[in-house]
Amino acid sequence: MVNATMPEPGEEVPSLSAFAILDPHTIETKVTLVKFKKRCDQDDGVCITDLRVNASLDLPIGRDGLPIFTYGIQSKINMKLNVDNLLEDAYFAEVIIEKTDILDFDTDSSGICKQDEDNSAIIKCHLGNPFEEKDQKMTTLTFTNKEIKANQGSLDFNITATTETDDQNPANNHKFLTAVVESQTDLKLEYTKDKSQYEVSGQVRGECAMEKLEMIGSFVQHNWTVINDGLVEVPEILVTINFPYETMSGKWLLYLTEMPILSGGSSSYCVLPQNSVDVLNLTHPRGKDDNGNVKTCFPRETRRKRREAEVLPTPQAQSKKTLQFKCNSTVSTARCFPIKCYFRNVESKGSTKIVINSRLWNSTFLEDYVDEDVLQIQVQGVVEISNGSYIKEKEPGNDMTLLTMDVYRDFTISPTTPSLQWWIILLAVIGGLLVLILIILCLWKCGFFERKTMNYKYATVEQKAGRKAKKDKTYMADDIHYTGGF
């Protein structure tokens, strides 16, 4: 033990010879290899091991064979880990698990795993030193939902067993697990009608006789509603309405009067075929349009004649006097065009709405289907997820629905044509008489009314028989043509 005191200012510096100092020429560190006696190297001096890793996720399996983690329903993931040592002892053996960093490591059933202090995405499980021959380690690791999003895509686990002992088969030291993140929802498509049934009556009019929308027929409004009955927001929804606009012979059924009215979602729009909305331009009374141009009518007779030449299926008979118009993939009894409406960012428990306004074309039913009491028009609606492959339908059976319209003909009002004015009838009668007189004069001029003879003269001979006198006509030949007697 060396005692020393600090000198006061001005005093002599004490000698340092009593203190130890480092020699700059001496070696500061020295490495020495120390060999430990191991059980596995007693025969040949070399340890050879074979670690085998098996792991699985305790999740339901999807159609493609991958585990499914359902967003909003499952809150944790259990991983079953099993490591076997098939050969000799393995020294400094451990399992390193690299996980998706949005998962939190909770615990393991055997208490051999810990989260790395420097990297929270790495879990280390110590198997022992040594991990003895023919030994087995089993544990279940639990990971909790930290910040998993609906569009996460997948959760990955990279598992590797390591050891400082030579491994005979390193290929089975590794295992990669992935779980597909899915979101479930249930899109429901529902509809309402403005009427329980529709009646047609009045007079038959052609296309060019229509001057305004009211002349076509009854107003028809269909309301389609999509409900997102899931726990996640759907990025984009597509609703397709197959709208029956005409019969197979080319006559109108439903006349679409305006573009569909949309509500719901962050944004929405509809796509329709060209010339499908107010084809006859009847939104304004016939006359001049908004630009002052005279509106014209172009009937579809050419197209109808061409279609009538085709072999057309008849509407399906539901009963003796009920016919059905519909569009489907097997037999269609009407022509339809698709109304495709897109809704973006439909929230959980949110809804969207489509309002379709049209007119029932009265003349078609009054002219062509007089003998039927009821006609049914079917409108098909389908909803689907157009953007969001990670979202699955829980009950796809309610994604399609059929709206059926019952159309009745009002027999109390028969279709009539407008009565003729009296002066038209009078002119028709006078014209007919004048034509008859002209025909008679022409026939008279042509000698049609003259009587033809054969140049015979009649002679009257009085014959008396008793008290009675009788005149008989006898033929006497003309001396010029005949000179003989009877």
Side-chain angles (χ1 to χ4, degrees), residues 348-360:
S348 171
K349 306 302 179 181
S351 63
T352 64
K353 192 173 183 179
I354 305 173
V355 180
I356 299 177
N357 295 324
S358 61
R359 291 276 175 173
L360 190 65

Side-chain angles (χ1 to χ4, degrees), residues 3-16:
N3 294 322
T5 58
M6 292 295 295
E8 295 294 333
E11 295 180 354
E12 294 182 1
V13 177
S15 176
L16 299 178

Side-chain angles (χ1 to χ4, degrees), residues 144 170 286:
T144 57
R286 193 175 297 282

